[in-house]
Amino acid sequence: MPEAKVAIELTVNGRRVRAEVEARMLLVEFIREAIDLPGTHIGCDTSFCGACTVLLNGRSAKSCTLFAVQADGGELLTVEGLASEGGLHPLQQAFAAHHGLQCGFCTPGMLLSSLQLLQKHSDPDEQQIRKAIAGNCCRCTGYQNIFRAIAAAAKMMKPNESEV
Ligand code: FES
Ligand code: FES
């Protein structure tokens, strides 16, 4: 028997989205398949890697650990919502400038975890940066350039400071 669907409504990257989903659909599946935003990645099935990280109601969340219905009524930010008409987000610019990525698979999740950090701490120290991305695994970079990129983005996002 086909599973009954549940109506949900949420804001995704500033746009109102309505959908009917199976109650067991994961949020990451909803993001990638139902609303066609493939920038949120799936890197494991153990909630370890952080490639699926998004911001839900302003807090970072591993979208493979939530059902889509749990986002009903919420505000979701995915990597596709970071850039604006003015160009790439400072975090995206800093990751590019400081080689904070190689294959890029971890990058969407890294960016969203970093954004949450910078929204809480405008001038994070290295320990705060390490803690913020502790749930995000990168198999390429060795992390040093990611730390540099996040610190550089913090400077860029401070008023009157724009150095990359
Ligand atoms: S896909 Fe690895 S933590 Fe979600
Ligand atoms: S850049 Fe390849 S996994 Fe991080």
Side-chain angles (χ1 to χ4, degrees):
M1 199 164 87
E3 193 170 328
K5 299 219 168 166
V6 181
I8 60 172
E9 183 171 345
L10 63 160
T11 304
V12 182
N13 301 333
R15 290 197 187 160
R16 210 68 191 149
V17 171
R18 290 188 190 88
E20 295 208 339
V21 298
E22 289 185 3
R24 64 181 175 178
M25 178 178 246
L26 295 176
L27 181 58
V28 69
E29 295 169 343
F30 173 75
I31 293 167
R32 289 177 55 83
E33 296 164 23
I35 57 173
D36 199 22
L37 293 173
T40 301
H41 292 160
I42 301 172
C44 69
D45 56 8
T46 58
S47 71
F48 167 74
C49 75
C52 63
T53 303
V54 294
L55 294 194
L56 179 59
N57 299 323
R59 299 187 60 185
S60 66
K62 291 181 176 178
S63 57
C64 73
T65 67
L66 293 170
F67 293 113
V69 292
Q70 292 176 281
D72 185 29
E75 289 223 11
L76 189 66
L77 180 69
T78 73
V79 69
E80 287 90 347
L82 280 182
S84 63
E85 284 181 10
L88 292 178
H89 188 279
L91 271 164
Q92 293 171 308
Q93 294 176 40
F95 268 64
H98 293 272
H99 307 286
L101 67 153
Q102 289 181 26
C103 79
F105 195 84
C106 69
T107 310
M110 286 286 181
L111 290 170
L112 273 302
S113 292
S114 304
L115 180 61
Q116 182 181 246
L117 168 71
L118 298 186
Q119 287 173 342
K120 278 205 267 181
H121 302 285
S122 61
D123 190 15
D125 61 27
E126 186 170 328
Q127 282 312 311
Q128 289 170 319
I129 293 174
R130 283 175 181 265
K131 192 171 170 197
I133 60 167
N136 296 81
C137 177
C138 177
R139 297 190 185 278
C140 304
T141 63
Y143 296 95
Q144 294 306 314
N145 287 347
I146 293 176
F147 299 152
R148 287 188 193 106
I150 296 169
K155 282 193 178 172
M156 292 169 71
M157 290 167 71
K158 274 193 190 170
N160 305 321
E161 293 193 40
S162 57
E163 191 182 325
V164 177

